[in-house]
Amino acid sequence: MRTIRLLAASLLVALCAGLSSCGDDELEVNPPEYNVDEPLIDKYLEYGITDYKNIELLSLYEHGSNTIINVGQANFSGLKNDKLWLASFNKEDKSPIINWTDELPFDRNRRIYKGYGEYEDVTIQKITLLQAMPFNQDFVASLSYSFGEDYSYHALLFKQSSQTKEVQLKDSGFGIGAWYENSIINGKCCYSLSGDTIYVAEKGFGYQNVGTVYSSDLISYQEAIFTCRDEEGFFVGRRSFKLGQDFWRVQVLELNNEPTDAKIEVCAEDKSKQVWKYNVNIIHYDGTKKNVTFEVDIDNGTIKGQDDYASLIIGKWKKTSGDAVATHVTYKNDGTFEYTSTEDNSYKEVGKYKIDGKKLYEMFSDEDEWAISDILLLNSMTLSVQELEADGVTPSGKKFAYQRVE
């Protein structure tokens, strides 16, 4: 009987409370308020975030000279009604970069791998938007998830149309860079806007041992045409980031003797054709100004007015592809050549050579007819030829490539 009286009393209290809420005054329902960092309230309002009290896990990451990434952004993140919300602004003028709320609820519970076959179920306790990169209505965001003091990781969030994809970063940094045709790079990976890996650059996306790089123009996801200068001179080259090597790199002789303290600006004027025209503006320390232009065939590295094959071929070359006994060939400035092999010290063949246009003529000392080859590529670093039949026109199918060693 006591239990029944208590239950009845509870129902009566609930009923009275319900009746008292009716009438002119509506029942006041307060939305949930999440923890807000009081010193940052002015920052939230400065960027027009007036509903900060209703954003769970609200976080601000401002770029500055003391941050690893500094592209001038003020980035906010958190959960609105259990959905991921990201907003990024330009610090300079407070203009918006992205302002996005996911359509689906955000799962704060994650299973992380601790190594050695062990996993742990954890809950995200902090979300930080580190960098945002917009692509019209889409974007890529670099995020940091914290699961407390013991564990955190970085991830990339790709938003394309109504689809999103998250990629956890393991060994790379969290900075992202715009790349070729709406792709991005992070660490050694090139990603599409949908978050798929296009390829991995084993040596990264930089230039090694080239001195000062003045320009770098992408011609595909994998390759770029670049200009640079080091102690040996001024160069233009074609780089494969996927392979981690240059297809060709040639000197621009007219620019070799500029003072080391000269200010140099390089610009390719027309990149729609196979032959690019470069405009180089130079200012010396004493104020002297100079302008140099040159044209380069980006397919084979031939510089217009500088394709003197007779002088370029002089030197020692190491075979990199092709089926032959010789591993090296030396073309001398007296019109003779010498084939040798590091695998067979007794092997040696000599003869004479000449160049006519883009054809290489060789006559071995024990022959009385010219062997003719098409010069497919010849610059300061690379020699590539294809043997021709006796008619000097029909390819025989044999190709050889060499790298300069002296």
Side-chain angles (χ1 to χ4, degrees), residues 358-398:
K358 290 190 175 181
K359 286 185 169 57
L360 170 64
Y361 292 77
E362 296 173 297
M363 184 182 293
F364 290 84
S365 58
D366 57 351
E367 301 282 347
D368 56 7
E369 292 184 357
W370 293 101
I372 309 172
S373 298
D374 255 337
I375 299 177
L376 304 177
L377 174 62
L378 174 54
N379 54 48
S380 62
M381 295 181 63
T382 305
L383 169 63
S384 178
V385 298
Q386 180 171 26
E387 291 184 348
L388 302 175
E389 299 290 352
D391 60 7
V393 176
T394 307
S396 69
K398 292 183 179 180

Side-chain angles (χ1 to χ4, degrees), residues 213-401:
V213 176
Y214 293 105
S215 66
S216 180
D217 296 289
L218 291 167
I219 57 174
S220 70
Y221 294 107
Q222 300 180 11
E223 298 175 24
I225 306 297
F226 68 98
T227 58
C228 65
R229 184 172 64 154
D230 59 19
E231 64 277 3
E232 296 182 357
F234 189 99
F235 295 86
V236 57
R238 180 167 176 166
R239 176 75 174 176
S240 168
F241 295 104
K242 182 176 182 180
L243 300 178
Q245 66 184 35
D246 298 337
F247 286 133
W248 50 261
R249 187 161 72 101
V250 295
Q251 281 190 324
V252 184
L253 301 178
E254 193 174 356
L255 292 167
N256 274 352
N257 298 320
E258 294 302 321
T260 56
D261 60 351
K263 291 184 177 181
I264 298 177
E265 294 182 353
V266 181
C267 178
E269 293 183 350
D270 187 358
K271 295 177 283 188
S272 63
K273 302 176 182 178
Q274 183 173 319
V275 177
W276 287 14
K277 182 178 180 180
Y278 276 94
N279 192 352
V280 184
N281 291 312
I282 306 165
I283 303 178
H284 294 172
Y285 182 77
D286 64 3
T288 302
K289 295 183 179 180
K290 183 178 178 181
N291 178 264
V292 175
T293 61
F294 67 91
E295 296 182 11
V296 60
D297 187 324
I298 65 168
D299 186 50
N300 57 29
T302 300
I303 296 178
K304 185 177 180 180
Q306 197 174 295
D307 53 354
D308 183 3
Y309 286 171
S311 60
L312 281 173
I313 201 170
I314 295 172
K316 188 174 183 179
W317 303 84
K318 177 182 178 181
K319 185 183 68 178
T320 56
S321 68
D323 184 15
V325 177
T327 60
H328 291 77
V329 58
T330 302
Y331 294 100
K332 302 177 182 180
N333 57 13
D334 62 357
T336 63
F337 67 81
E338 180 179 278
Y339 281 92
T340 57
S341 173
T342 56
E343 299 173 359
D344 183 357
N345 294 332
S346 64
Y347 173 81
K348 181 178 179 180
E349 288 194 89
V350 298
K352 59 183 180 180
Y353 75 95
K354 64 179 180 179
I355 290 178
D356 183 7
K358 290 190 175 181
K359 286 185 169 57
L360 170 64
Y361 292 77
E362 296 173 297
M363 184 182 293
F364 290 84
S365 58
D366 57 351
E367 301 282 347
D368 56 7
E369 292 184 357
W370 293 101
I372 309 172
S373 298
D374 255 337
I375 299 177
L376 304 177
L377 174 62
L378 174 54
N379 54 48
S380 62
M381 295 181 63
T382 305
L383 169 63
S384 178
V385 298
Q386 180 171 26
E387 291 184 348
L388 302 175
E389 299 290 352
D391 60 7
V393 176
T394 307
S396 69
K398 292 183 179 180
K399 293 183 180 180
F400 298 90

Side-chain angles (χ1 to χ4, degrees), residues 101-172:
T101 303
D102 198 358
E103 297 177 354
L104 302 175
F106 182 77
D107 186 5
R108 293 177 57 179
N109 299 316
R110 305 292 171 98
R111 170 162 287 191
I112 60 173
Y113 182 66
K114 301 180 66 176
Y116 305 101
E118 295 185 9
Y119 294 84
E120 181 178 352
D121 293 325
V122 293
T123 300
I124 293 176
Q125 299 182 23
K126 185 177 181 180
I127 305 169
T128 305
L129 171 58
L130 300 168
Q131 184 182 356
M133 183 166 291
F135 295 89
N136 296 321
Q137 301 302 313
D138 302 320
F139 66 83
V140 180
S142 174
L143 302 171
S144 173
Y145 294 133
S146 175
F147 305 95
E149 298 180 357
D150 296 333
Y151 190 78
S152 64
Y153 68 71
H154 296 116
L156 296 180
L157 180 67
F158 296 84
K159 185 265 180 184
Q160 187 177 42
S161 299
S162 60
Q163 302 296 317
T164 60
K165 180 178 181 178
E166 184 180 294
V167 176
Q168 182 177 343
L169 303 179
K170 297 180 180 179
D171 302 322
S172 62

Side-chain angles (χ1 to χ4, degrees), residues 134-136 138 140 158 160 177-184 190-194 198 221:
F135 295 89
N136 296 321
D138 302 320
V140 180
F158 296 84
Q160 187 177 42
W179 203 243
Y180 185 75
E181 291 189 349
N182 288 351
S183 63
I184 66 107
C190 177
Y191 295 96
S192 68
L193 197 53
S194 60
I198 298 176
Y221 294 107

